[in-house]
Amino acid sequence: MNKLSISSVIVLSSALVSVQALAIQTPGSINTPSGIDYTPTVSLGVKKAEFNESLVTTLNPVVNASLLNGTNAYSGVVDLAIELDDKASRHNSVDLLLGVNGDFEIDATNFVSAALNVEFGHEDTLDTNPTGDITRLITPTLSGSYERILNGTPGVVTVLANLSDTTYTNFEDITDYSESTNFALGVVYSYEQDAQITYLTEASFETAKYKKDDPTGVKDSDTYNALVGVNFEASAVTTGEVKVGYLGKQYENEDKSNFSGVSWTGLVNWAPKSFSNYEFTTGFVVNDATGAEDYVGETSIGALWSHDWNADWSSKASIDYTNENFEGIDQKDDTFELNATGYYSFIASSFKGDVSFGATYTQFNTTGATSAGTDEAVFILGLDAML
C-alpha cells in the first residue's frame, strides 16, 4: 500500500476516489439549498473462502458530496469499509477513507486540480507481519495537477504530483521498517492528431524514503520512467491505449541490484455489440522489495467480458495471469485467477440497486527455495443500494 506509481498520480488528480461498489452506474443524489449534492450508497456482502471455510461479512457505506461553483467543482467523500470474519476475529477490520477534491478553471487553457485523502486502513498479508495478524496503518495523500492547452495546437501538457506518508499503528517491532514517505512527479504531453489518434509522451520520477533503515539493508529507491504511446480508436467498436518505454530503479543500498529495462502497458477494448464488451490488458512494472529480494519484476495479462443480458440482468467474467520474478533470491511466483459475477438490478420503493453473486478461483504457485502452491475458491454474494 505504500508504493506509489505515476498511474496513481494520474488517477488521484482526475478523481478523488474510485468507490468500489459493484455495478453502481447512476446513484441518486440529495440536493440541498446550499448547492451541495450528497450521494449516499451502501454495499453489503458475504464471501466464503473454501480453503478455511470462513464466512466474511462486508459492509461499505459511502457518502459522496459535490458542489459546482461556476467553472470550479468541489467534492468530498466518506468511505467506511467493515469486514467481519466468523472464524478469526483477529482478521476483523474497520477502514475509513476521508477525502476532499477541487477542480479549478483558471481560464480557457489553464486548469488546476488538488486532492487530499486520508486513509485509515489495514494490511492482511504476510508482507509486513509474518504472524498473519492484520496490521493497521494511516496514509495521508496530497496530490495535484496542472493542465495547459497549448494555444494554436492540439497539444496538452499536464504536470502531476503526489506526496504520501505511511505510518503503522500496531506491531511496531515488525512494521517500523515498512513506514515510508513517497513522492512522485510526472509530465504528460498528449497530441491529438484527429478524432481517432492521440499520441502520448510521459516522463515520471518517484522516490521512496523509509523512515528507519531495515536491518537487512537500506530500502530507499528512486524510479525513473519514460513512455511513448498512442490512444487510438481503430473503429467504432475497437479502442485502446498502448505505451512502451524505459524503466529504471536505483537503490541507495549498493548491495541491492538496480533495474534498467523496458516497461509497457496495453489496453484494447472491443465492443462488437452495444450490450457486450471485451477488454484485454497487459503490462510490466517493477515493485519494491517486501522481503530479502532486491525488487520484483511483475508481468501481467488479462481479459474481461461484460454483457448485458437484458434491462435487469448482466454479468462479468475475467481471467488474469501474473508472473513475479524476485531479483536477488531464487523465487518466481505465478498467479492465475478466474472470476465470474452476475448482477440483478432492481427498484424498490425509493431505492434502486443491484444484487451480485459470483465466485473467484485463484491458483498460486511459487518456485525456488521454498516451492509451494495453493488453490483457493471464494464465493461472493452482495447487495448494493442507493437512492
Side-chain angles (χ1 to χ4, degrees):
M1 295 183 69
N2 56 7
K3 177 66 181 73
L4 282 176
S5 67
I6 195 62
S7 60
S8 66
V9 179
I10 297 172
V11 170
L12 284 169
S13 298
S14 60
L16 174 63
V17 64
S18 175
V19 178
Q20 296 180 352
L22 298 177
I24 293 178
Q25 301 296 326
T26 54
S29 297
I30 300 173
N31 307 117
T32 65
S34 65
I36 301 176
D37 296 337
Y38 295 95
T39 306
T41 61
V42 61
S43 299
L44 176 65
V46 292
K47 55 184 179 180
K48 185 174 180 60
E50 184 185 44
F51 74 100
N52 63 0
E53 298 184 347
S54 65
L55 187 68
V56 178
T57 303
T58 62
L59 177 64
N60 183 207
V62 181
V63 177
N64 283 279
S66 61
L67 172 65
L68 185 61
N69 182 14
T71 58
N72 300 327
Y74 308 89
S75 62
V77 65
V78 178
D79 187 336
L80 181 66
I82 301 171
E83 286 196 359
L84 302 176
D85 191 321
D86 73 330
K87 296 292 185 182
S89 60
R90 67 178 186 173
H91 293 160
N92 295 345
S93 64
V94 178
D95 297 343
L96 177 65
L97 174 66
L98 304 174
V100 291
N101 183 81
D103 298 308
F104 309 95
E105 181 179 324
I106 301 174
D107 53 40
T109 59
N110 294 276
F111 306 88
V112 174
S113 295
L116 173 63
N117 294 331
V118 180
E119 178 186 4
F120 302 85
H122 78 282
E123 292 177 343
D124 52 9
T125 70
L126 299 180
D127 291 345
T128 54
N129 190 2
T131 69
D133 292 328
I134 67 171
T135 52
R136 304 187 184 280
L137 65 161
I138 301 175
T139 306
T141 302
L142 178 65
S143 61
S145 69
Y146 167 70
E147 178 181 296
R148 178 175 176 81
I149 301 175
L150 302 181
N151 291 328
T153 74
V156 178
V157 175
T158 306
V159 180
L160 307 138
N162 189 310
L163 175 65
S164 72
D165 182 87
T166 299
T167 300
Y168 290 86
T169 59
N170 64 342
F171 298 105
E172 287 83 358
D173 56 329
I174 299 173
T175 59
D176 271 0
Y177 303 115
S178 297
E179 295 186 345
S180 65
T181 299
N182 302 270
F183 176 73
L185 180 66
V187 179
V188 180
Y189 173 70
S190 60
Y191 183 90
E192 186 176 350
Q193 176 176 299
D194 50 44
Q196 284 74 42
I197 296 291
T198 299
Y199 296 105
L200 304 169
T201 303
E202 301 179 6
S204 66
F205 165 76
E206 307 168 36
T207 183
K209 300 296 183 183
Y210 288 82
K211 300 176 184 179
K212 289 187 177 181
D213 291 343
D214 193 293
T216 62
V218 179
K219 297 191 296 183
D220 294 357
S221 67
D222 294 327
T223 303
Y224 305 87
N225 203 191
L227 297 169
V228 294
V230 60
N231 185 296
F232 62 89
E233 184 176 337
S235 67
V237 299
T238 305
T239 60
E241 183 174 282
V242 177
K243 294 181 290 186
V244 63
Y246 169 78
L247 175 64
K249 181 177 285 290
Q250 298 180 354
Y251 286 94
E252 184 177 321
N253 187 349
E254 295 182 354
D255 293 331
K256 282 184 172 290
S257 300
N258 297 324
F259 176 85
S260 180
V262 177
S263 70
W264 70 86
T265 62
L267 182 150
V268 175
N269 191 84
W270 179 49
K273 303 290 184 180
S274 60
F275 51 81
S276 196
N277 183 81
Y278 299 86
E279 184 177 284
F280 306 93
T281 58
T282 184
F284 175 79
V285 296
V286 172
N287 300 317
D288 277 340
T290 58
E293 71 275 6
D294 295 336
Y295 60 81
V296 182
E298 178 182 306
T299 304
S300 61
I301 185 170
L304 169 68
W305 173 46
S306 304
H307 191 87
D308 294 329
W309 299 97
N310 54 41
D312 299 326
W313 292 92
S314 62
S315 65
K316 291 183 179 180
S318 63
I319 180 172
D320 295 280
Y321 169 75
T322 302
N323 171 265
E324 295 176 294
N325 189 3
F326 292 71
E327 179 67 25
I329 62 175
D330 181 22
Q331 181 177 339
K332 292 183 179 180
D333 292 351
D334 293 298
T335 305
F336 176 77
E337 185 172 280
L338 287 171
N339 175 269
T341 307
Y343 305 92
Y344 173 73
S345 301
F346 67 90
I347 298 177
S349 183
S350 59
F351 294 91
K352 58 183 177 180
D354 300 281
V355 176
S356 57
F357 51 93
T360 299
Y361 171 76
T362 304
Q363 183 182 69
F364 172 79
N365 293 298
T366 182
T367 59
T370 57
S371 297
T374 60
D375 294 324
E376 176 185 346
V378 177
F379 302 94
I380 301 171
L381 177 64
L383 171 66
D384 304 312
M386 70 290 296
L387 296 176

